[in-house]
Amino acid sequence: MQKEDFLRNALEKRREQHAFRQLRTGGQRIDFCSNDYLGLARSERVQEEALQICRQLPQIHGSGGSRLLAGNYELVEQAEKLIATFHEAPAGLIFNSGYDANLGLFASVPQKGDVIIYDQLIHASIRDGIRLSPLQAFSFIHNDMDDLEKKLVNADGRIFVAVESVYSMDGDMAPLREITDLCNRHSALLIVDEAHATGIVGDKGEGLVQALGLQAHCFARVHTFGKAAGCHGAAVLGTATLRDYLINFCRAFIYTTALPPQAVAVILAAYDIFPDMHEERKHLQRLIQQFRKRLGGTSETPIQVVMAPGNEHARGLAQHLQDNGMDVRAILHPTVPKGQERLRVVLHSFNTEEEVENLAATVLSYS
């Protein structure tokens, strides 16, 4: 159709840049791609516990509406209380995804005249929420405390600071102690996205904020369940006042059908299991050290990086690994800046040392 020429032109430009995206499955390849860090997305125990919960419910196939209409039920409120207690927060509110949680939080809470200062590598969901809010927004250089302080000194009014505890493209951690000190000194409200720390960081997988004992210093935390928890959804943690505010003003919460009880049952099962997965987290750390020794890098998390500048180069290396039975994906421009294209390698508790060694040898053999 001629009416779609503008769509075809945009897609053709992507192809010319070697940046055209396509959906694909992992097939039978070894998983070095998913965010299922602890293997809970494939866990029979999670499935069995969730099914036990579901058998006690009168309805498991759908929620019937938004939480403010027919979609609220006892199980989801129980889950919110359990998650808030585990993460040492006064209250929590479950959203359908981490994207929804960040979009809704940042679009609804800041007011006109407020300022938000965010790490330049912050997730797209937070950027999109900021775009929908009436505040002024400024980025600071990634994990650069001097630049953050300069931005704080120059800001007027109510200030929010937004960071991730673990960054999804590089796997590095935020210097949260220093960030918290700066926020306290400048009376800024700190929001931390714990998506890639949940289940992984801390003795029980409680996240970086709690591992450092900083939970009382956060205005809000976002814990998502689609990574190490192996399921779906997210929770915004904060005070009961913040929860009430989101229920009343957050469009991403108000105007969407609630998660069905079956999905919430899986969240409850995951939270019953992952705090005790100490051996799995220890094994992950051994794989991380093995990967760093063979291929370099500084990340202390399951997210590891192999730099492959240029979209064509990154695609070629990823295809080489896929041809050798490993599911590794390239991260291309414009997702990352030009010249910083890379492979994002994800390690899991179900990967073996032999698999990681094979991965490293295959990367090093590519020319």
Side-chain angles (χ1 to χ4, degrees):
M1 290 176 61
Q2 192 172 359
K3 291 179 181 179
E4 294 186 348
D5 283 348
F6 72 103
L7 301 178
R8 280 190 284 269
N9 291 339
L11 290 171
E12 185 56 34
K13 187 175 181 181
R14 275 284 167 93
R15 289 188 180 95
E16 292 171 358
Q17 296 170 339
H18 302 283
F20 184 73
R21 295 180 173 115
Q22 292 176 288
L23 297 177
R24 61 179 67 186
T25 63
Q28 299 301 311
R29 299 183 181 96
I30 297 166
D31 183 3
F32 285 112
C33 173
S34 78
N35 292 324
D36 184 24
Y37 304 127
L38 297 174
L40 290 180
R42 59 187 73 192
S43 166
E44 290 185 11
R45 182 181 168 191
V46 169
Q47 185 178 44
E48 289 169 3
E49 287 198 19
L51 285 172
Q52 284 184 341
I53 295 169
C54 289
R55 289 191 188 102
Q56 302 170 29
L57 302 173
Q59 175 187 351
I60 65 169
H61 299 298
S63 62
S66 71
R67 292 278 298 276
L68 286 169
L69 296 176
N72 198 43
Y73 46 91
E74 187 176 343
L75 190 70
V76 71
E77 293 197 347
Q78 289 176 358
E80 287 169 338
K81 291 174 183 176
L82 181 147
I83 291 163
T85 299
F86 177 77
H87 291 295
E88 300 182 52
L93 187 67
I94 285 180
F95 285 75
N96 288 14
S97 71
Y99 185 94
D100 287 339
N102 278 328
L103 186 79
L105 175 66
F106 285 90
S108 64
V109 169
Q111 307 295 305
K112 188 175 182 179
D114 292 348
V115 173
I116 186 161
I117 303 170
Y118 62 94
D119 191 288
Q120 66 180 13
L121 296 188
I122 206 78
H123 193 266
S125 58
I126 296 175
R127 288 178 176 269
D128 289 351
I130 290 170
R131 289 191 186 101
L132 293 173
S133 79
L135 51 58
Q136 286 187 298
F138 305 95
S139 67
F140 67 93
I141 298 169
H142 177 56
N143 279 349
D144 187 317
M145 296 302 95
D146 290 336
D147 194 44
L148 173 57
E149 185 161 31
K150 287 177 186 176
K151 298 295 195 306
L152 285 165
V153 167
N154 292 324
D156 294 319
R158 184 166 44 232
I159 306 168
F160 295 87
V161 171
V163 299
E164 296 180 51
S165 53
V166 175
Y167 286 88
S168 61
M169 287 297 107
D170 294 281
D172 57 335
M173 295 185 185
L176 278 184
R177 282 200 180 94
E178 293 88 340
I179 291 170
T180 300
D181 289 343
L182 286 174
C183 287
N184 289 340
R185 200 181 314 156
H186 295 276
S187 301
L189 303 174
L190 177 60
I191 301 176
V192 182
D193 183 344
E194 291 261 46
H196 292 276
T198 308
I200 297 299
V201 179
D203 182 58
K204 295 183 177 181
E206 62 270 26
L208 185 59
V209 170
Q210 281 169 272
L212 298 176
L214 301 174
Q215 53 270 31
H217 298 275
C218 293
F219 173 78
R221 285 175 278 161
V222 178
H223 284 270
T224 66
F225 313 137
K227 279 75 177 176
C231 41
H232 197 71
V236 175
L237 305 180
T239 64
T241 300
L242 175 61
R243 184 179 189 273
D244 286 343
Y245 181 91
L246 292 171
I247 291 170
N248 280 273
F249 293 98
C250 178
R251 296 169 69 87
F253 176 84
I254 296 167
Y255 297 110
T256 191
T257 299
L259 286 175
Q262 192 173 34
V264 175
V266 179
I267 295 169
L268 284 167
Y271 264 81
D272 182 52
I273 293 169
F274 79 67
D276 294 323
M277 298 182 75
H278 306 293
E279 289 305 315
E280 287 82 356
R281 282 186 281 272
K282 288 179 182 177
H283 177 64
L284 253 181
Q285 285 301 315
R286 288 193 291 270
L287 296 184
I288 290 165
Q289 296 308 314
Q290 178 188 2
F291 183 96
R292 289 175 57 181
K293 184 176 180 180
R294 292 287 278 122
L295 292 173
T298 59
S299 171
E300 298 176 11
T301 73
I303 302 167
Q304 299 293 318
V305 172
V306 176
M307 298 304 295
N311 280 354
E312 193 171 6
H313 181 201
R315 277 185 182 277
L317 179 52
Q319 188 62 56
H320 178 62
L321 288 161
Q322 290 162 18
D323 291 343
N324 282 275
M326 289 163 276
D327 189 13
V328 179
R329 309 293 175 92
I331 306 299
L332 309 173
H333 173 76
T335 300
V336 292
K338 276 191 175 181
Q340 295 185 30
E341 296 84 1
R342 79 279 305 270
L343 302 189
R344 180 180 184 267
V345 178
V346 183
L347 304 175
H348 311 87
S349 62
F350 52 81
N351 289 136
T352 66
E353 293 181 8
E354 291 77 14
E355 289 171 347
V356 173
E357 174 57 35
N358 187 32
L359 170 71
T362 306
V363 168
L364 294 172
S365 72
Y366 182 75
S367 57

